[in-house]
mmCIF file of all heavy atoms in Angstrom:
data_model
loop_
_atom_site.group_PDB
_atom_site.id
_atom_site.type_symbol
_atom_site.label_atom_id
_atom_site.label_comp_id
_atom_site.label_asym_id
_atom_site.label_seq_id
_atom_site.Cartn_x
_atom_site.Cartn_y
_atom_site.Cartn_z
ATOM 1 N N GLU A 83 -49.442 102.485 116.359
ATOM 2 C CA GLU A 83 -48.436 102.659 117.396
ATOM 3 C C GLU A 83 -49.087 103.296 118.620
ATOM 4 O O GLU A 83 -49.639 104.388 118.527
ATOM 5 C CB GLU A 83 -47.264 103.503 116.880
ATOM 6 C CG GLU A 83 -46.167 103.698 117.921
ATOM 7 C CD GLU A 83 -45.075 104.595 117.367
ATOM 8 O OE1 GLU A 83 -44.484 104.308 116.326
ATOM 9 O OE2 GLU A 83 -44.780 105.612 118.068
ATOM 10 N N SER A 94 -38.015 101.126 113.688
ATOM 11 C CA SER A 94 -39.426 101.308 113.263
ATOM 12 C C SER A 94 -40.087 99.940 113.337
ATOM 13 O O SER A 94 -39.432 98.895 113.434
ATOM 14 C CB SER A 94 -39.498 101.841 111.860
ATOM 15 O OG SER A 94 -38.977 100.947 110.928
ATOM 16 N N LEU A 117 -30.634 90.984 122.612
ATOM 17 C CA LEU A 117 -31.735 90.077 122.422
ATOM 18 C C LEU A 117 -32.992 90.946 122.242
ATOM 19 O O LEU A 117 -33.313 91.791 123.087
ATOM 20 C CB LEU A 117 -31.902 89.163 123.654
ATOM 21 C CG LEU A 117 -33.040 88.141 123.640
ATOM 22 C CD1 LEU A 117 -32.788 87.076 122.583
ATOM 23 C CD2 LEU A 117 -33.164 87.520 125.021
#
Side-chain angles (χ1 to χ4, degrees):
Chain A
E83 181 183 304
S94 64
L117 180 67

